[in-house]
Amino acid sequence: MPDTTSLNHPAQRAFNPYTENGGTILAIAGADFSVIAGDTRQSEGYSIQTRYAPKVFQLTDRAVLAVNGFAADGNMFVKKVKQRLEWYRHAHSKDMPLRAIARLIQTMLYARRFFPYYVYNILGGIEEDGTGAVYSFDPVGSYEREACRAAGAAQSLVQPFLDNQIYFKNQRPAPNTSHPAHLPLQTVLSIVIDSFTGATERHIEVGDGLEMYVVLAKGRGLHGLEGVRGVQELTATDDGQRVFVVRRELKKD
Amino acid sequence: MDHFPTNWGRPRNDAVDVYGTYPIHSRPNNQPKDAFADGVQRTQQPIVTGTSVLAIKYKDGIMMAADNLASYGSLARFKDVQRLHPVGQYTVIGAGGDMSDFQYIQRILEELSIDEMSAQDGHELGPVEIHEYMSQVMYARRSKINPLWNSLIIGGFKDGKRFLSYVDLLGTTYSASTLATGYGSYIALPLLRKAVEGYEDVLTEEQARKILQESMRVLFYRDARSLNKYQIATITAAGVWVSDSLRLETSWNFAEDIRGYGAQTQ
């Protein structure tokens, strides 16, 4: 008997409103700082679209957002978050606190529960109590505060490395010592650079350039940032927190 | 918010009219209603299509190229179609993909230009604004699952600055010193990158033209949906210029030496 359902409905390729644009992001929180990083390659399939398309955005002087997944959704989402933060500034004459931005992002993502922004967000910065913080989200808004998180194409390569190097998983401390609760900035920057050079080596969608944003708590010195090649300060207000960006090249093959 | 209480649904208890909606008036029909709604089809696939658009930065500005073919599937249907379209005094928009959607885009940009001109506020649309506008239109249409089936390259020169950027049917955007759509992104882009990257500020107009011409020739040899008739556009401090149709010289002498395939020589 012929399949009548297929006769009634001619086979049609439905338009797919999503794509994947590759790349990887990651963030690590320290005691009084936070590092948020992402590569700058944008790709679709096996084609590199551009070698410089930023995925990490400064929202305020204490909040930086990294966005990875479908680039068009990502750019639109960042645009809308920035707009909401501007409205908050006009209403309250101050920048929105980090944990409030985190909740805002969850609400904005969940509002699109049935046509989601296909993006993984990682929010990093300084909490109101002066501690470094990282919040990670899934595309529909589930979120939690963590010490470190990798997302994107090379998440499966980078996250185990961070588990080992930041959380000291599968490492035993030397006799009569313990693992440090927080790592110094210099160490964290090295781990971030190693993560991305490693991911570039083993993942085709990662490479070209690296942007690392560093957010420092109020009153904290530069310890760990001085002498770093090519640091650029981006601080916009005199609230006390300071934001820097460090740019590095990654392999382009 | 729907301000018609009768649209809110029935009160839980019919005996108590908590919303004070008595007497019940007929529900206002305030949604847009289209008698042909069932018959409306959205673009599910492109029909009459254009192939690659190429664009590069060079010393004086931006140079773009596209052939004059609009295909109907594998049929070379229209052979005199202009796919490089000037918008205002500073911008050229080049399109691959569905040509009827591209003509619609030309129309909305024309309407936009007229609105902006009528404002007489001393502001003019530059390539940055036109790219932002088009990316919002393309993203909005994909979000309604009713896309404009195109890949657009927007090139321009305004206030001493070159601009080159891409947007497609998904609303994906990016910029680079060399861009290509469609088959061009597989075949021509590697050639363009090799010839242009690092030389954006030294390439002369003549060199840029030669690079694009050579890439168009390779595309004509390899892309079955391309044509040996193409146009070049330049956008410089002097303004926008789109060439007349140019013809690619090709030679097929090698063909007579081909005997069979691969290792077969007889």
Side-chain angles (χ1 to χ4, degrees):
Chain A
M1 187 176 149
D3 182 4
T4 48
T5 51
S6 65
L7 292 175
N8 295 336
H9 302 282
Q12 244 187 0
R13 278 181 304 116
F15 168 64
N16 178 195
Y18 293 114
T19 188
E20 272 269 15
N21 294 108
T24 278
I25 52 173
L26 101 84
I28 301 172
D32 51 5
F33 67 86
S34 193
V35 178
I36 307 92
D39 69 329
T40 66
R41 175 176 292 182
Q42 189 178 111
S43 57
E44 191 174 15
Y46 289 135
S47 301
I48 296 172
Q49 296 181 318
T50 178
R51 300 191 191 279
Y52 185 71
K55 281 192 272 290
V56 191
F57 302 90
Q58 182 187 359
L59 299 177
T60 66
D61 274 352
R62 55 188 161 189
V64 173
L65 181 62
V67 190
N68 193 235
F70 173 31
D73 269 354
N75 290 331
M76 180 53 72
F77 186 71
V78 169
K79 192 181 178 126
K80 295 210 160 182
V81 170
K82 281 184 170 172
Q83 188 176 47
R84 291 290 294 266
L85 294 178
E86 187 179 333
W87 290 346
Y88 183 95
R89 247 187 318 270
H90 291 319
H92 300 100
S93 310
K94 64 165 192 170
D95 280 331
M96 192 185 281
L98 190 70
R99 65 189 209 100
I101 300 179
R103 179 62 67 86
L104 172 73
I105 288 173
Q106 106 94 191
T107 316
M108 292 176 68
L109 289 170
Y110 195 79
R112 289 281 297 267
R113 175 62 179 78
F114 298 110
F115 185 23
Y117 288 112
Y118 192 17
V119 284
Y120 289 86
N121 283 288
I122 301 179
L123 175 71
I126 302 296
E127 213 66 270
E128 276 182 309
D129 64 4
T131 57
V134 164
Y135 290 90
S136 69
F137 302 78
D138 81 351
V140 290
S142 318
Y143 78 115
E144 64 175 333
R145 187 179 166 180
E146 293 175 292
C148 78
R149 170 61 70 183
Q155 179 188 40
S156 59
L157 282 71
V158 176
Q159 190 66 52
F161 176 66
L162 295 181
D163 289 345
N164 181 248
Q165 292 294 306
I166 306 290
Y167 292 123
F168 299 106
K169 290 284 167 63
N170 302 103
Q171 291 196 65
R172 214 188 291 279
N176 303 319
T177 62
S178 62
H179 293 308
H182 293 287
L183 293 170
L185 177 54
Q186 210 171 10
T187 313
V188 167
L189 283 176
S190 305
I191 290 173
V192 171
I193 294 172
D194 289 349
S195 299
F196 277 94
T197 41
T200 302
E201 205 60 54
R202 285 289 183 175
H203 199 114
I204 56 169
E205 293 172 4
V206 181
D208 291 331
L210 170 60
E211 285 188 328
M212 294 174 285
Y213 282 71
V214 183
V215 192
L216 302 182
K218 195 190 286 197
R220 182 197 192 276
L222 282 178
H223 339 294
L225 254 194
E226 66 271 85
V228 174
R229 185 161 46 85
V231 197
Q232 190 191 340
E233 179 153 10
L234 302 170
T235 313
T237 68
D238 51 9
D239 289 354
Q241 294 85 4
R242 298 175 74 184
V243 188
F244 299 84
V245 64
V246 183
R247 294 195 172 85
R248 286 293 151 83
E249 293 289 303
L250 290 173
K251 284 172 74 176
K252 294 175 196 305
D253 54 4
Chain B
M1 165 91 199
D2 187 345
H3 294 280
F4 292 94
T6 46
N7 280 347
W8 298 352
R10 292 167 70 81
R12 286 200 184 153
N13 184 348
D14 280 350
V16 190
D17 185 11
V18 285
Y19 300 123
T21 53
Y22 183 84
I24 297 281
H25 56 83
S26 64
R27 292 186 173 194
N29 184 4
N30 42 9
Q31 297 97 316
K33 181 86 180 173
D34 182 351
F36 300 98
D38 292 341
V40 171
Q41 257 214 339
R42 294 160 167 183
T43 308
Q44 299 291 345
Q45 53 175 334
I47 305 295
V48 176
T49 59
T51 181
S52 323
V53 181
L54 310 181
I56 58 174
K57 284 188 180 173
Y58 72 105
K59 186 162 67 77
D60 307 324
I62 303 294
M63 192 177 286
M64 302 170 64
D67 68 25
N68 287 316
L69 181 65
S71 309
Y72 179 72
S74 56
L75 174 70
R77 181 67 181 80
F78 302 106
K79 296 180 157 195
D80 192 23
V81 171
Q82 198 184 109
R83 298 196 291 120
L84 299 173
H85 176 69
V87 182
Q89 300 180 62
Y90 309 102
T91 313
V92 169
I93 177 162
D98 191 280
M99 286 297 105
S100 63
D101 282 351
F102 179 48
Q103 287 176 353
Y104 169 74
I105 287 168
Q106 292 176 21
R107 205 187 71 192
I108 59 173
L109 286 174
E110 179 66 23
E111 284 171 11
L112 179 73
S113 302
I114 292 170
D115 284 353
E116 290 296 315
M117 188 265 288
S118 329
Q120 290 283 310
D121 54 4
H123 295 287
E124 291 173 297
L125 288 182
V128 181
E129 291 77 25
I130 287 168
H131 177 260
E132 180 66 22
Y133 182 83
M134 278 320 302
S135 60
Q136 296 296 319
V137 169
M138 299 297 272
Y139 183 79
R141 288 292 295 260
R142 86 96 216 187
S143 298
K144 293 180 205 163
I145 320 292
N146 185 197
L148 294 170
W149 212 287
N150 298 104
S151 310
L152 307 173
I153 290 179
I154 291 149
F157 191 99
K158 187 167 185 260
D159 302 329
K161 281 201 201 59
R162 294 173 292 191
F163 179 88
L164 190 52
S165 212
Y166 170 99
V167 59
D168 66 14
L169 70 165
L170 290 172
T172 310
T173 57
Y174 52 88
S175 328
S177 56
T178 57
L179 291 178
T181 73
Y183 251 77
S185 67
Y186 301 115
I187 294 172
L189 200 55
L191 304 170
L192 295 177
R193 284 183 178 158
K194 194 171 175 187
V196 174
E197 276 181 7
Y199 308 109
E200 293 90 349
D201 299 324
V202 295
L203 284 177
T204 63
E205 178 166 336
E206 202 170 332
Q207 288 170 317
R209 187 181 305 275
K210 190 143 181 277
I211 291 165
L212 284 184
Q213 189 188 37
E214 213 41 54
S215 303
M216 291 303 285
R217 197 191 326 273
V218 173
L219 278 173
F220 179 58
Y221 276 125
R222 283 290 171 183
D223 177 2
R225 305 283 175 269
S226 67
L227 193 65
N228 58 346
K229 204 176 130 193
Y230 70 108
Q231 283 171 293
I232 281 199
T234 60
I235 312 98
T236 62
V240 169
W241 176 80
V242 182
S243 76
D244 291 337
S245 287
L246 308 165
R247 194 159 289 277
L248 283 168
E249 294 307 322
T250 47
S251 67
W252 301 88
N253 302 328
F254 64 90
E256 60 190 278
D257 299 326
I258 297 175
R259 294 283 181 276
Y261 294 95
Q264 183 188 340
T265 50
Q266 217 264 320

